[in-house]
Amino acid sequence: MAGNVELLSSVLAGAKAEGRAALVGYLPAGFPTVDGGIRAVTAMIEGGCDVVEVGLPHSDPVLDGPVIQTADDIALRGGVKIVDVIRTVREAHAATGAPVLCMTYWNPVDAYGVERFAADLAAAGGAGCILPDLPVEESEAWRKAAEQHGLATVFVVAPSSKDARLAKITAAGSGFVYAASLMGVTGTRESVGREAQDLVERTRATPAARRGLPVCVGLGVSNAEQAAEVAQFADGVIVGSAFVKQLLAHEGDLEAGLAGVRELAGDLAKGVRA
């Protein structure tokens, strides 16, 4: 069954045609619960996110800051499994029609089975996978399975990536490139800064990006002003920790948390359109 990489591409192209960046939201599956997480991901899209990333919680999330680590820990203590991640993708996509990706470290995919994971994610309507710790050199088996099932393979680039490395990563990737705007882990920042813009410009100069592969920036955006700042130079603005914070701030009151998530998505959506 073909996945939704075409949907992802058309949504990103649609935002560009409107003269704006796309808004991409992130939440880990199973947080605060599996059912609550599905509702939260759906609320993000209803609030104004164009695309969502559903995280596969990991016990050692090296790229993620303390906020997402806290959410992952809650999900893992709740017993979240890969089947719940796939279900979150399926139900959020079915409820909204929006492109939904899975963001995961490589070990769980490898253990589950590369072909099986790609097939299950595609069958759920998933648009693709973001694999922050999978080296391009070791990605052939995954990319083959992803392509067969119509899934995007999104790689992460960082300010430390040299130009030759950027060219290699963008040539292998599809859907979009995830540009990590600051060195280190995810989390909201006071300012997302010049480093992000430089990284986007260097990534855009690669042959694959010149042919139209979008560059989306994550790690640090938490409000409409920062979203507007990043939207001036990126094809997409990725927000994760700020959404998690809304749910953590209303722990024990899911409805209030969902309202906060929806409101933040609306605020950020205004930012990318500013």
Side-chain angles (χ1 to χ4, degrees), residues 92-268:
H93 173 64
T96 63
V100 183
L101 297 101
C102 177
M103 184 166 188
T104 177
Y105 294 95
W106 180 244
N107 276 352
V109 177
D110 199 30
Y112 190 82
V114 172
E115 169 62 31
R116 180 183 169 209
F117 190 88
D120 288 358
L121 182 59
C129 222
I130 301 160
L131 299 155
D133 66 339
L134 178 64
V136 171
E137 294 79 6
E138 296 165 28
S139 68
E140 192 182 350
W142 165 260
R143 284 189 287 129
K144 200 170 278 184
E147 195 174 336
Q148 189 185 333
H149 291 285
L151 297 170
T153 297
V154 178
F155 289 109
V156 178
V157 298
S160 58
S161 306
K162 301 282 186 280
D163 290 352
R165 184 81 188 150
L166 290 177
K168 192 171 190 176
I169 291 170
T170 55
S174 56
F176 63 90
V177 185
Y178 188 128
S181 70
L182 292 131
M183 298 302 289
V185 299
T186 61
T188 56
R189 300 286 197 282
E190 290 307 306
S191 171
V192 288
R194 172 72 212 169
E195 209 169 44
Q197 190 165 355
D198 176 62
L199 176 59
V200 170
E201 284 168 4
R202 291 195 301 119
T203 306
R204 281 228 176 102
T206 64
R210 283 205 300 268
R211 288 194 299 271
L213 186 68
V215 183
C216 301
V217 171
L219 312 194
V221 172
S222 60
N223 57 45
E225 290 73 30
Q226 290 173 342
E229 186 188 336
V230 174
Q232 289 172 27
F233 59 81
D235 297 302
V237 179
I238 303 169
V239 181
S241 297
F243 283 115
V244 173
K245 279 184 173 177
Q246 287 296 327
L247 293 169
L248 288 173
H250 299 98
E251 207 171 352
D253 187 350
L254 180 62
E255 297 307 324
L258 294 174
V261 162
R262 202 175 272 109
E263 189 178 336
L264 176 61
D267 195 37
L268 293 163

Side-chain angles (χ1 to χ4, degrees), residues 29-35 57 70-81 84:
F31 168 72
T33 61
V34 175
D35 289 343
T70 299
D72 277 6
D73 187 50
I74 289 167
L76 290 166
R77 282 189 282 124
V80 71
K81 300 279 190 291
D84 301 312

Side-chain angles (χ1 to χ4, degrees), residues 49-99:
C49 287
D50 300 290
V51 178
V52 285
E53 305 169 2
V54 172
L56 196 159
H58 197 271
S59 53
D60 184 26
V62 289
L63 185 79
D64 297 309
V67 173
I68 289 172
Q69 283 181 14
T70 299
D72 277 6
D73 187 50
I74 289 167
L76 290 166
R77 282 189 282 124
V80 71
K81 300 279 190 291
I82 286 182
V83 67
D84 301 312
V85 179
I86 300 289
R87 184 187 148 211
T88 302
V89 171
R90 177 186 295 109
E91 295 197 14
H93 173 64
T96 63

